[in-house]
Amino acid sequence: MKTTVSVIKADIGSVSGHCIAHPELMEICDDVLNEALESSILEDYYITRCGDDIDLIMTHRRGEEDEEVHKTAYDAFLKATERARELKLYGAGQDLLSDTFSGNIKGMGPGVAEMEFKERPSDPVIVYCCDKTEPGAFNLPIYKIFADPFNTSGLVIDPSLHDGFKFEVFDVMEHKKVILNCPEEMYDLLALIGSTGRYVIKRVFKKNGEIAASISTERLNLMAGEYIGKDDPVAIVRAQSGFPAGGECVEPFAFPHMVSGWMRGSHNGPMMPTSEFEANPIRFDGPPRVIGLGFQVSDAKLIGVGDGPVDLFDDPAFDATREEASKIATYIRRHGPFEPHRLPSEEMEYTSLPGVMEKLEKRFEDME
Ligand code: F6R
Ligand code: MG
Ligand code: MG
């Protein structure tokens, strides 16, 4: 029998602007998921938040894109939205684009990462959740985990990893996808995924076809056709015994790489790995955050320690990364409204440029 891990996330309202999802909303989600557990739709679940996003981590036996599982997440977000509206929370219901469910939550606003697999004798699974960034923010760390031998020494010295991995890449502008093999096509892969706003790693597989990683790639602003929120992504990664070790899966986040999505979805900034407790993007609405949660998946149950998973970035070994991210934040912030802190105008989610151009149109003269 196979197990499915589904992570579905949405920002449906937060406190103090876009800072933190209200605990009552998480309690409402908990009630809805608990009902789904009792009616055997779900086998287990864990609810967390990263900044203003609520992340529903669910396990079940129903496969990917299951209508009941997606409806459970949709109902949880819809019910929590009602409370968010009563409390006049900021951005109440922002990521739910429709008030009727049509069989699949994809395309309705929330981000979705799912994977179905046959459990190994022991199956460590890591879930990453971000805030104030976009799906392409995972390109660099996922590449490093599964293709960079300077990150993942197992690619060189562990015979079970030595064949490399296959990367499924989505072109989110043209709605096309391609599969590239690594290490054979590593340079082609990098040529694409360096363009983080367009080419996004969706899935990674072992060469034998076994699923290794799955990332949410929804781009809410492209779906809605106007800026209504960001696409703070989530990812699921399998670790150990034929996959990169847990330590190799967190190692790329020791580098606070530059991602887009900070402040009004229109600025670049360093990705800061934090504990669940510190996933509070406050300074200039950021800097962008990532949390990492480690589970053992056992008979479709999420085994953690005590009440929750291992909080992977709750480790003083990441203090230096957080300090470096803060320094980079200070440095890049000094650019104010200039690139490369501000995104190029075509990629900005807020812009006053058309209005400014209209106002100045008549005053522009030919140079010669
Ligand atoms: C939202 C976000 C924030 C907002 C900013 C302006 O996830 O990243 O940086 O874009 O606070 O928000 P509004 O336009 O709602 O005042
Ligand atoms: Mg928000
Ligand atoms: Mg968010």
Side-chain angles (χ1 to χ4, degrees):
M1 209 188 324
K2 287 188 171 179
T3 297
T4 307
V5 180
S6 298
V7 184
I8 305 188
K9 53 80 39 184
D11 172 359
I12 39 152
S14 47
V15 181
S16 188
H18 290 279
C19 281
I20 291 173
H22 194 284
E24 266 194 56
L25 307 190
M26 296 173 67
E27 280 161 28
I28 292 168
C29 290
D30 188 62
D31 289 343
V32 175
L33 267 55
N34 199 37
E35 268 173 44
L37 197 69
E38 276 163 14
S39 55
S40 301
I41 295 168
L42 299 182
E43 292 291 325
D44 203 357
Y45 67 88
Y46 180 75
I47 300 175
T48 189
R49 64 150 192 100
C50 185
D52 57 11
D53 289 276
I54 296 180
D55 305 280
L56 311 176
I57 302 168
M58 302 172 282
T59 50
H60 52 96
R61 300 287 195 189
R62 311 170 72 94
E64 293 178 30
E65 305 208 11
D66 178 75
E67 182 163 348
E68 292 299 322
V69 173
H70 282 213
K71 186 161 187 321
T72 299
Y74 176 82
D75 288 346
F77 291 141
L78 190 68
K79 231 172 149 193
T81 291
E82 285 165 22
R83 185 65 184 138
R85 293 208 167 110
E86 283 167 12
L87 293 171
K88 290 177 69 179
L89 295 184
Y90 204 69
Q94 107 177 3
D95 287 358
L96 272 194
L97 301 182
S98 164
D99 49 17
T100 45
F101 181 71
S102 55
N104 190 324
I105 204 164
K106 281 188 179 169
M108 299 188 75
V112 183
E114 295 183 290
M115 59 162 70
E116 186 186 33
F117 53 87
K118 190 171 174 302
E119 284 179 24
R120 295 170 289 163
S122 178
D123 223 308
V125 171
I126 297 174
V127 176
Y128 299 101
C129 308
C130 297
D131 191 29
K132 311 299 182 228
T133 187
E134 57 165 14
F138 277 119
N139 282 4
L140 186 148
I142 293 287
Y143 166 79
K144 283 179 118 176
I145 293 169
F146 292 102
D148 178 4
F150 282 79
N151 179 84
T152 298
S153 64
L155 294 167
V156 180
I157 66 174
D158 180 346
S160 72
L161 269 74
H162 199 71
D163 277 354
F165 290 88
K166 297 192 284 188
F167 290 73
E168 182 184 37
V169 177
F170 278 10
D171 175 346
V172 295
M173 300 295 179
E174 294 293 327
H175 297 277
K176 291 190 164 171
K177 58 183 184 178
V178 62
I179 291 184
L180 292 163
N181 289 297
C182 273
E184 307 88 297
E185 299 176 295
M186 185 189 267
Y187 297 161
D188 293 339
L189 175 69
L190 286 169
L192 297 183
I193 63 171
S195 301
T196 48
R198 175 161 187 173
Y199 297 103
V200 182
I201 301 172
K202 177 62 190 173
R203 269 182 279 260
V204 181
F205 301 93
K206 279 178 78 78
K207 289 281 172 66
N208 68 7
E210 237 186 305
I211 186 77
S214 174
I215 298 105
S216 68
T217 52
E218 283 68 28
R219 291 205 58 189
L220 191 58
N221 56 333
L222 296 179
M223 274 183 239
E226 58 176 322
Y227 182 81
I228 51 151
K230 269 193 324 302
D231 320 295
D232 310 314
V234 290
I236 311 168
V237 170
R238 293 173 82 193
Q240 311 282 162
S241 305
F243 296 103
E248 289 166 335
C249 295
V250 292
E251 182 62 12
F253 296 96
F255 165 48
H257 67 296
M258 208 48 97
V259 299
S260 70
W262 193 4
M263 181 51 84
R264 294 190 168 80
S266 303
H267 293 80
N268 287 310
M271 180 77 114
M272 183 187 270
T274 64
S275 65
E276 288 181 281
F277 180 68
E278 286 186 326
N280 308 321
I282 294 170
R283 180 180 176 188
F284 196 59
D285 291 357
R289 297 294 143 118
V290 58
I291 60 171
L293 306 176
F295 301 92
Q296 292 291 137
V297 174
S298 168
D299 294 327
K301 301 284 184 299
L302 291 166
I303 309 298
V305 282
D307 291 342
V310 178
D311 193 351
L312 296 167
F313 299 131
D314 184 12
D315 175 354
F318 285 99
D319 284 350
T321 308
R322 290 185 272 269
E323 221 166 277
E324 193 182 359
S326 293
K327 284 188 183 144
I328 294 166
T330 298
Y331 167 79
I332 197 150
R333 276 269 49 237
R334 287 191 207 143
H335 293 78
F338 283 78
E339 296 179 23
H341 183 28
R342 202 213 71 193
L343 298 186
S345 52
E346 351 39 283
E347 286 170 36
M348 285 161 65
E349 283 170 355
Y350 282 52
T351 181
S352 55
L353 196 60
V356 172
M357 288 308 288
E358 201 182 307
K359 195 173 69 185
L360 297 182
E361 204 183 344
K362 292 204 177 74
R363 286 167 54 191
F364 267 97
E365 297 170 28
D366 287 340
M367 284 167 64
E368 267 320 304

